[in-house]
Amino acid sequence: LDRSLLSRKIEVIALRIETRRTGEYLFKLRDHLLNLPRVRNAVNCGEKKLILLSQRYTDVSQIIEENGWLSEKLESTEMSSEKYTINLDYNHFTADEALKELL
């Protein structure tokens, strides 16, 4: 089995925040998170954390329209947005998903 056939890259919008505020922002943004199986919604990035947003958002302005309070946070130094690429490999797929992908 060539495991490279089961690799996929997903690009999402991420919010860079202070690590100590992770729980608070995960709660506030719970309806807007990536929520993929076996992928964390918050990942380490140096001394900060990245909160990964749903694939339905292609630009941070889309989520600001739904959450006005984010605009203020993004204008301050408390939060910033960026693109983040998730590399899904063989280990992220269930047996059923792998078979569907290969057949």
Side-chain angles (χ1 to χ4, degrees):
L1 173 67
D2 183 5
R3 292 182 180 201
S4 67
L5 295 173
L6 291 172
S7 64
R8 200 181 305 160
K9 290 185 180 195
I10 300 173
E11 192 169 282
V12 296
I13 301 293
L15 299 175
R16 182 181 294 269
I17 60 164
E18 295 289 331
T19 300
R20 62 185 169 83
R21 309 287 305 267
T22 304
E24 173 189 349
Y25 288 129
L26 285 174
F27 180 77
K28 286 182 176 181
L29 295 166
R30 65 188 171 276
D31 296 330
H32 309 285
L33 299 175
L34 182 62
N35 291 327
L36 280 180
R38 293 178 291 287
V39 176
R40 293 179 180 246
N41 287 318
V43 296
N44 291 326
C45 188
E47 294 181 14
K48 304 255 183 171
K49 288 266 189 176
L50 293 176
I51 293 183
L52 308 180
L53 301 177
S54 172
Q55 292 175 283
R56 71 177 181 258
Y57 301 110
T58 57
D59 188 59
V60 76
S61 62
Q62 293 171 304
I63 195 167
I64 289 174
E65 290 174 12
E66 298 175 28
N67 298 279
W69 60 270
L70 268 178
S71 178
E72 178 183 312
K73 301 289 184 192
L74 287 165
E75 288 174 6
S76 72
T77 59
E78 189 173 327
M79 180 187 291
S80 62
S81 67
E82 60 189 73
K83 298 252 185 203
Y84 182 78
T85 302
I86 302 164
N87 296 308
L88 300 178
D89 61 7
Y90 173 82
N91 297 319
H92 286 89
F93 295 93
T94 64
D96 288 339
E97 292 170 333
L99 285 173
K100 285 179 187 176
E101 194 73 25
L102 292 172
L103 298 178

